[in-house]
């Protein structure tokens, strides 16, 4: 089954404790992206990657890191989480950049609470 | 900067009635407009999209219209059913090949 998976689905942590949210897709997509979703703000892009070893900042990259060592995986790293990073996070992937053929497939989301 | 405005933020309609969600975009070079549906506890899922070379597209009970001159596009759901209750996002692909999302509309279908 074609899908984007994220782990963990739920996470409670404390300020300053490094964490990683994994994302994996089995569709051989080149483009992958991370979003955060907050009430009233919709979906905001954190980072994206157009291919292996190619990553770039989205609209709200501060406090986050990503890596793209393999085509299928795109982990999101919070080196020193803070309470304002409490949010619902989504990973997405598509065949190309978000061009006309680039329908994005979203993962199920990771709900993060930083105390 | 480029943005996509979406209205209303919340919409309640009686089961069987129609629902309309409207979006406007600012980048005149935008040429692709997808709509996503997000059910509770799930990620957004594409339900319909439209390109700038057509004015309307229909898929069963769902239709999208596009007015390039006015830079707005709308989602129409007819004969609404309880399973249509969800959050809907419009989006537009801008000149930098980046998808810009609206802030979402929470649709409630009333029994």
């Amino acid at each position: 089954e074609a899908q984007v998976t994220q782990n963990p689905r739920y996470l409670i942590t404390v300020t300053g404790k490094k964490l990683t949210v994994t994302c994996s897709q089995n569709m051989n997509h080149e483009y992958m992206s991370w979003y955060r979703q907050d009430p009233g703000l919709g979906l905001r892009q954190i980072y994206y990657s157009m291919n292996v070893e190619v990553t770039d900042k989205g609209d709200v990259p501060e406090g986050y890191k990503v890596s793209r060592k393999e085509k299928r995986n795109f982990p999101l790293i919070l080196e020193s989480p803070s309470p304002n990073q409490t949010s619902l996070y989504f990973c997405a992937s598509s065949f190309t950049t978000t061009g006309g053929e680039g329908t994005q497939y979203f993962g199920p989301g990771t709900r993060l609470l930083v105390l | 900067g480029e943005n996509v405005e979406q209205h209303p933020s919340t919409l309640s309609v009686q089961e069987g009635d129609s629902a309309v969600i409207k979006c406007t975009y600012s980048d005149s070079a935008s040429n692709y407009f997808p709509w996503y549906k997000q059910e509770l506890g799930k990620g957004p899922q594409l339900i319909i999209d439209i390109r700038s070379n057509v004015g309307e597209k229909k898929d069963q009970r769902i239709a999208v219209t596009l007015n390039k001159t006015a830079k707005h596009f709308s989602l129409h759901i007819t004969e609404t059913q309880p399973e249509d209750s969800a959050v809907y996002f419009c989006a537009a692909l801008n000149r930098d090949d980046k998808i810009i999302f609206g802030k979402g509309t929470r649709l409630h279908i009333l029994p």
Side-chain angles (χ1 to χ4, degrees), chain B residues 1-12:
Chain B
E2 295 133 51
N3 68 313
V4 174
E5 299 283 341
Q6 183 171 350
H7 298 281
S9 56
T10 305
L11 177 62
S12 296

Side-chain angles (χ1 to χ4, degrees), chain B residues 36 58 78 80 102:
Chain B
Y36 287 84
K58 193 172 182 180
T78 59
T80 53

Side-chain angles (χ1 to χ4, degrees), chain A residues 25-80:
Chain A
Q25 49 91 7
N26 62 0
M27 297 169 278
N28 202 34
H29 285 170
E30 291 186 350
Y31 183 89
M32 297 186 75
S33 182
W34 275 103
Y35 295 88
R36 60 178 289 174
Q37 183 177 17
D38 303 290
L41 298 177
L43 292 160
R44 294 181 293 169
Q45 191 179 53
I46 302 170
Y47 267 95
Y48 64 95
S49 169
M50 295 175 68
N51 214 325
V52 176
E53 302 291 1
V54 180
T55 63
D56 210 344
K57 296 177 180 179
D59 299 315
V60 287
E62 293 78 21
Y64 304 94
K65 285 175 59 178
V66 292
S67 70
R68 188 88 183 275
K69 293 183 170 55
E70 305 165 282
K71 198 171 188 178
R72 63 182 294 128
N73 296 323
F74 189 45
L76 178 69
I77 303 155
L78 284 71
E79 293 270 2
S80 182

Side-chain angles (χ1 to χ4, degrees), chain B residues 30-33 50-57 66 68:
Chain B
S30 294
N31 60 9
Y32 175 66
F33 307 90
I50 191 168
R51 301 182 194 285
S52 59
N53 57 345
V54 298
E56 183 174 359
K57 183 177 179 180
L66 171 64
K68 280 197 69 179

Side-chain angles (χ1 to χ4, degrees), chain B residues 63-75:
Chain B
V64 57
T65 58
L66 171 64
N67 183 328
K68 280 197 69 179
T69 303
K71 291 191 285 186
H72 67 70
F73 56 114
S74 301
L75 178 72

